[in-house]
Structures are given as C-alpha cells and as structure tokens.
Amino acid sequence: MTFKAHRQEEILTDKFNRVIDYVRISVTDRCDFRCVYCMDDKMQFVPRAQLLTLEEIAKIAQVFTELGVKKIRITGGEPLIRRNVIKLFEYIGQLPRLGELVLTTNASQLTKLAQPLKDAGVKRINISLDSLNAEKFKRITRVGELDNVLAGIAAAAAVGFEKIKLNSVILKNRNDDEIIDLVRYASDRNMDISFIEEMPLGIIGDHDRAEAYYSSDQIKNDLEQFFTLVATTKTTGGPAKYYKLAETGTHVGFISPHSHNFCDQCNRVRLTCEGRLLLCLGQEHSVDLRKTLRAYPDDMDKLKQAIRDAMLIKPKGHDFDLTEKPLIFRHMNVTGG
Ligand code: SAM
Ligand code: SF4
C-alpha cells in the first residue's frame, strides 16, 4: 500500500512505512554564488526551457498538500534569484492544508525580499553562512560578498521571522577555526545554528572532499572546549540532532550523513527544478513529474497517482563514502539541498 486514509485525509507512506509529509522544492539550479562544496566553478545549468514554470511548481505543491504533505521548503540553487518567485511563495503560503512554508537561502537577496517573504507566510528560514571573514567567505563561495549577506541576515532578523537558523558546512583548513565565532554570532542574535557534514554530490574539479572532511564529532569536541552541550529531544522534522548550549540557550544541530546515518526516520522527498521527484538524496531513484504534468495539464489525479506510485521506489537509505568517486553525479544545487 502506498497510501491510506487518515481522519479522511490521505497520507503518503513508503514501503518501509515511513510517512512522507515533507517536500523540498528546488525552484532553480542557478545561483549567484559558487560554493566549492556545492558547484563546480564551470557549472552547466539546466536550459531554461527544461525548468518547471512557477505555475507548474505551484500545481505540484498543491497536489502534495492534498496528499498529506505538511511542510514545504523552497530551495535551489539560490531560490530568491528566480524571477517572480515571491508569487510562488504567496500561492503556496495560502494552501489550506499546509502546516509550514520554509526557505533555505544564501541571504544575498534578503535586504529586499525579507519583508515580502514574511508577508507571503514564510515562518522560518535557514540561511547558509560558512564564514564571518570576508576573504575566507569569498574563498568558500568563490564570488560571495560577506557584507551583503550579513546585511541580508540583519534584514531578516528585523522583519521578525519566527525562527532563523544558520547552516554552516565546516571544511578542514578553510573555516574550522570559525566554529566558535559562528556559534557566538548565532547566539548573539537569538538564532540557532546547524553544522552540515559535506556530502559527495557531483564531481568538483578543484575541491578534494575527503581532504576537507571535518566531522560533526570534531565540531562537537571543539565546541565543548567553550560551551556545555546538553542533549535535547528538539526536532524540526529534519535529520539534525540538537544540543542546547547551557551558557546561551542556543540550539546547535548536527546533520551527519556520514557519521550518523538518519535514513530510518526519513520523511521527505525532493523536487528538482526540472520536475524530477527524487526519492533519496543519496540515490538516483526518481520519477519524472514534469512529463505527467505536461501530458495531463488539467488532470491532477494523474499527478497524484504518479506521486503515490513513486513512494514504492523510495529506497531504504543512502551510503555515502567520501573516499570513493561520487556515486551521485548531480550537484547539490540541482538536488535542492
Ligand atoms: N543557495 C541556498 C543556500 O546556500 O542556502 C539554498 C540551496 S543550498 C544547495 C542548501 C544547503 O546545502 C546549503 O546550506 C549548503 O551549505 C548545503 N550544501 C550544498 N552542497 C553541499 C554538499 N555537497 N554537502 C553538504 N551540504 C551542502
Ligand atoms: Fe549557491 Fe547555496 Fe550552492 Fe552555495 S550552497 S553555490 S549558495 S546553491
């Protein structure tokens, strides 16, 4: 069975009885940054004609909520550089069965878009920030301007989202000396912070992932020299394990696909900007929803059935190994991190 009635509302389950109630939607694979762990510096982007239109994304999002999805995250690439994307936020924000509309961004557009996002119903945002040093920030993002990002974070704080969480990827010898500063920056602003272990998605010519690997356990150990970490049961419906800093009350999360596999609790699927439904971040299993949508533009039942059927091929889990050539050839910006 791929679905069952639940208080007259459908819910999506996979063949391992995991309930799928969270969808991450990549609205573009393009980005104004070129982070070394995410993209090659000579990235080939998807031709525009192959992208889902905003209207198509809106339809798919609506159908997912009718199938029981409660949480939608808009991501990319950099989602906020897609033209007219605020219209999509406004549409999804008013879907009656949706519990939560959230966003992941690099903050480069937030000085102008923080308020429209809040008005559209976005409650929580995740902001990627790997360094507080302008030079190192540029080295990691290849082109990003730290001042603009910090101004974007300040703008987001000023409009009053319910929660802002920072995401940092720590790379050995690049920014591993900034862990404490990043945590202090977050706690001073009443923000939470999560550290994400780098995942081997796509080949990146000038970046050695195995050499740059810095584990969650190492980060935790570094933090323990300055803070008391108290384990919590906090969850945001994601794979992060959270600790609370006794000194500041800040929640610090660790997303550790290598050191602590989280697949048995997986509740999510991902939609790429081309309309491919990815059933697992670390596997290639996918279903082409764009094909169904374009073949039957006025029949949402066909789309619903394609999504239910897709649940049957959701794999049990991933098996990342940084020392091997990547098994997954799509980059994170295509995947929708
Ligand atoms: N551009 C937005 C941003 O940077 O927040 C949204 C998309 S980005 C792909 C989403 C998240 O994925 C970011 O926090 C980024 O640090 C993370 N990410 C990208 N490539 C990664 C990789 N290979 N391993 C782990 N995290 C990665
Ligand atoms: Fe762009 Fe986000 Fe990837 Fe950095 S991590 S290149 S900001 S999509």
Side-chain angles (χ1 to χ4, degrees):
M1 276 282 274
T2 57
F3 68 100
K4 55 191 171 195
H6 181 71
R7 288 195 213 106
Q8 287 157 336
E9 271 188 31
E10 189 168 341
I11 56 171
L12 282 173
T13 56
D14 70 0
K15 65 177 189 235
F16 304 102
N17 274 327
R18 294 173 296 196
V19 174
I20 309 305
D21 57 5
Y22 178 15
V23 179
R24 299 168 77 108
I25 300 180
S26 172
V27 297
T28 177
D29 62 334
R30 285 157 213 266
C31 186
D32 47 349
F33 294 179
R34 294 285 183 277
C35 301
V36 292
Y37 47 76
C38 178
M39 290 193 187
D40 201 76
D41 60 348
K42 294 179 197 71
M43 275 302 279
Q44 294 287 325
F45 294 106
V46 171
R48 281 184 207 279
Q50 285 178 29
L51 294 178
L52 290 177
T53 64
L54 292 180
E55 291 73 19
E56 288 171 329
I57 298 173
K59 273 188 191 170
I60 295 176
Q62 174 159 357
V63 161
F64 266 113
T65 64
E66 290 168 8
L67 290 169
V69 162
K70 296 287 172 232
K71 176 171 169 184
I72 293 181
R73 177 175 301 281
I74 304 296
T75 180
E78 176 44 45
L80 299 184
I81 64 167
R82 176 133 188 201
R83 190 158 0 129
N84 293 328
V85 76
I86 293 296
K87 285 195 171 52
L88 179 69
F89 281 96
E90 287 167 352
Y91 185 85
I92 297 178
Q94 52 75 48
L95 291 172
R97 294 193 200 164
L98 187 69
E100 217 184 356
L101 173 60
V102 293
L103 159 74
T104 302
T105 176
N106 65 19
S108 68
Q109 311 299 310
L110 281 179
T111 47
K112 60 176 190 290
L113 294 184
Q115 190 64 54
L117 287 164
K118 170 110 191 310
D119 296 343
V122 175
K123 300 258 174 353
R124 294 193 296 122
I125 65 175
N126 287 359
I127 297 177
S128 302
L129 180 70
D130 298 334
S131 175
L132 291 163
N133 170 303
E135 242 173 70
K136 282 192 205 164
F137 186 82
K138 181 148 284 170
R139 234 175 288 143
I140 293 174
T141 59
R142 293 202 185 95
V143 288
E145 295 294 341
L146 179 65
D147 282 353
N148 180 39
V149 164
L150 296 183
I153 296 175
V159 304
F161 290 101
E162 267 172 29
K163 196 77 217 170
I164 299 177
K165 181 165 73 83
L166 303 180
N167 280 339
S168 302
V169 176
I170 298 297
L171 307 173
K172 191 162 75 186
N173 297 331
R174 276 38 152 229
N175 61 347
D176 59 324
D177 56 341
E178 290 199 68
I179 295 166
I180 307 300
D181 290 346
L182 285 163
V183 167
R184 291 219 163 100
Y185 175 89
S187 29
D188 289 349
R189 288 159 184 77
N190 193 27
M191 297 171 187
D192 291 338
I193 181 164
S194 283
F195 292 101
I196 311 173
E197 284 181 349
E198 182 176 351
M199 291 172 251
L201 300 173
I203 294 171
I204 295 178
D206 57 353
H207 174 66
D208 181 345
R209 296 191 196 273
E211 187 267 320
Y213 178 60
Y214 203 83
S215 73
S216 292
D217 288 343
Q218 285 170 286
I219 298 172
K220 194 163 160 267
N221 196 39
D222 293 348
L223 284 172
E224 278 168 344
Q225 312 305 312
F226 293 84
F227 301 103
T228 315
L229 274 68
V230 183
T232 76
T233 52
K234 177 184 162 80
T235 170
T236 51
K241 293 252 176 300
Y242 282 97
Y243 293 79
K244 194 170 174 169
L245 302 186
E247 292 78 5
T248 64
T250 312
H251 284 99
V252 180
F254 296 95
I255 302 175
S256 321
H258 300 285
S259 45
H260 306 280
N261 183 301
F262 42 66
C263 301
D264 56 335
Q265 291 150 36
C266 185
N267 62 343
R268 67 201 51 203
V269 290
R270 294 174 163 81
L271 182 70
T272 71
C273 54
E274 301 166 277
R276 223 159 30 108
L277 185 66
L278 292 174
L279 285 312
C280 173
L281 182 61
Q283 304 277 3
E284 295 289 3
H285 305 63
S286 73
V287 168
D288 185 355
L289 293 185
R290 186 185 62 189
K291 198 162 136 203
T292 308
L293 192 58
R294 292 192 180 166
Y296 305 99
D298 300 315
D299 186 353
M300 290 305 103
D301 284 342
K302 289 276 192 305
L303 185 60
K304 270 189 189 160
Q305 196 52 45
I307 293 172
R308 290 181 192 120
D309 293 346
M311 295 304 124
L312 288 175
I313 60 161
K314 185 169 166 62
K316 193 152 190 264
H318 67 244
D319 195 12
F320 289 139
D321 184 348
L322 287 175
T323 58
E324 300 277 326
K325 283 211 187 83
L327 293 170
I328 301 298
F329 291 101
R330 60 186 138 73
H331 292 83
M332 189 65 133
N333 63 312
V334 176
T335 302

